Every structure is written in structure tokens, then in C-alpha cells.
Amino acid sequence: MDNTTSENEIIIETIDLKKAYGAGDALVMAVNGISIKIKKGEFVAIMGPSGSGKSTLMNILACLDQPTEGRYILDGEDVSEYSRPELAMIRSQKLGFVFQSFNLLPRVSALENVMLPMIYRRENRISLAERKHIAENALENVGLAERMHHMPNELSGGQQQRVAIARALVNDPVLVLADEPTGNLDSKSSEEIMELLHSLHDRGRTIVMVTHEPDVAHHTERIITVRDGKLFDDHPNGKRVTWQNATGIDFSPVQEAVQP
């Protein structure tokens, strides 16, 4: 990373980040002194074998866990020692999440699932009509205009993941975190989701994605590799793969329409 990068261009900075579990002979350093910077607008993959610490690192970046030592600065704000309620506030204000297992509520429609983050938002609350309008636009922008009133079990895996991506964007987060977003999908659905993530990135979204699949990681512009809790490698990825969109879905408008 270029050390001359302006501080206002940095969305993520970790400084000697550590996370320990256990004590004494049972002490495990899941994250052991990782320092990284990620700029606004980057598309970054975090890779590593099982037990490498990548999931623990991702949980800290997602404000789901706190470091034992070191600092984590998110969008200019040091959140290293925030309480759980304060971290919850940061998550609702600044982060959007896409999970391997989709994490959709099974008994409500795609539209209602996308509206949920706006319901729980503590600041800048908006009316039901506005929430519905924003959610409808978000689903239209991921190609699900005709499926927004369907229940999750009436959608394919790829469609469910597109619902999850629409949900991640409705509060206009500064950072999208994707944890194995293609892990539960077949190859065709994986292509659709990666094409959509490319579209988001091309429009300025900052995306950090955990994956164990090298072919998925090669879709990003930078790959960070973690091993034994330490930063093993961090390099720009010159081999960005472009999958042809064979679905007929227009992914290009995923932008301002989903912003409150």
C-alpha cells in the first residue's frame, strides 16, 4: 500500500491488531499483529486456510467482535474499545453484510427482508412508505422486480443472495462485507453474484470479501492472505476475471436508487 495515501481515502486501518482466546497453555492468538489499510472504493479479498484467523479478522472488521490489543479505525473512527451497543450502532450506520447462508427471515417476503435494516436504524428514521419505496428500488436494481413479494423458500439460492445484497445496500453503508458470498451457490448463480459485486465496485462501493476459492478471489483487485493469525501476503491482483453476464439481468443501475 502506498504510504502517501491521504488519510481521508482510508476506510479501514488496523494497527498491530491482535485477538487472543484462552489463557496460559491454552492461549491461542487467532489474530496476531495484523496491520492493513484499505482505501475507499477498493474490492479486496481476504483468504487463508481453515484456522488461519481470517474469520476472526473479518468479525473484528465487521464490528462483531473486539480486538484484544491494537487499534481498528473504521471510516476515520477508532472503534477498538467500543462497547457492544456502540458497535451495534456502527454496524447499523456504516456496514452492509452479505453472508454465505443469506440470513433471510423465512416467514416474510423478499421486500420485507430488504426493509429490515431501515426499521432498525436509530438515526434518520423514515416512514413506512419511504422504506417500501427504497426497498422496491433496491430489489429492482438487482433484477428481482418480479419476485419481491415471494417468500425466501420460493426463490433460488442466487435470487436469495441478491435479496441479501439489496438488503445490505439500503442504508447506504460505507463498507460492504461479504463472507463467502458464493459458498452455497452453483456455478451459474455464483457468476451472477460476482457480476453484481463487480457492478457495485465499479460504482464506487468498498467491498471486503472473505473467500477460500482462488477463482473467486481473482475477481477482486487486491488479495490479502492470512496464515497462523498473521498477515502472510498482501498484493494487488492484476488478474481480474470478468464473467459474461448470460442471465439477461441488468446489474448496472445498482447505485443511487437504493440510497435513502
Side-chain angles (χ1 to χ4, degrees), residues 30 34 44-58 179-180 209-214 217 222-235:
I34 291 180
V44 178
I46 298 178
M47 297 192 71
S50 178
S52 63
K54 68 179 185 299
S55 295
T56 301
L57 175 61
M58 186 66 155
D179 188 1
E180 301 281 4
M209 175 178 67
V210 164
T211 182
H212 68 278
E213 301 177 71
R222 178 181 167 198
I223 300 175
I224 294 172
T225 305
V226 178
R227 289 187 183 176
D228 299 323
K230 298 181 179 181
L231 181 63
F232 178 78
D233 187 41
D234 182 354
H235 68 271

Side-chain angles (χ1 to χ4, degrees), residues 131-164:
R131 294 197 299 267
K132 184 178 179 183
H133 177 68
I134 291 168
E136 287 173 343
N137 283 339
L139 285 166
E140 288 172 4
N141 289 335
V142 297
L144 291 178
E146 304 300 319
R147 311 286 287 180
M148 63 178 64
H149 297 294
H150 286 64
M151 306 296 279
N153 64 3
E154 297 173 322
L155 302 174
S156 69
Q159 289 170 336
Q160 290 185 61
Q161 192 62 293
R162 278 187 269 153
V163 172

Side-chain angles (χ1 to χ4, degrees), residues 2-77:
D2 184 354
N3 290 332
T4 64
T5 300
S6 172
E7 289 304 311
N8 62 12
E9 295 178 347
I10 300 297
I11 195 74
I12 283 176
E13 181 176 9
T14 70
I15 303 169
D16 198 23
L17 204 65
K18 297 180 181 180
K19 181 65 179 183
Y21 295 101
D25 293 339
L27 181 69
V28 174
M29 295 298 297
V31 172
N32 193 2
I34 291 180
S35 298
I36 57 173
K37 289 183 179 181
I38 295 175
K39 294 188 296 183
K40 293 179 180 178
E42 281 196 280
F43 190 0
V44 178
I46 298 178
M47 297 192 71
S50 178
S52 63
K54 68 179 185 299
S55 295
T56 301
L57 175 61
M58 186 66 155
N59 284 341
I60 295 173
L61 298 182
C63 294
L64 295 168
D65 201 357
Q66 296 168 296
T68 306
E69 296 181 38
R71 297 174 64 199
Y72 173 31
I73 301 169
L74 173 62
D75 194 28
E77 188 171 355

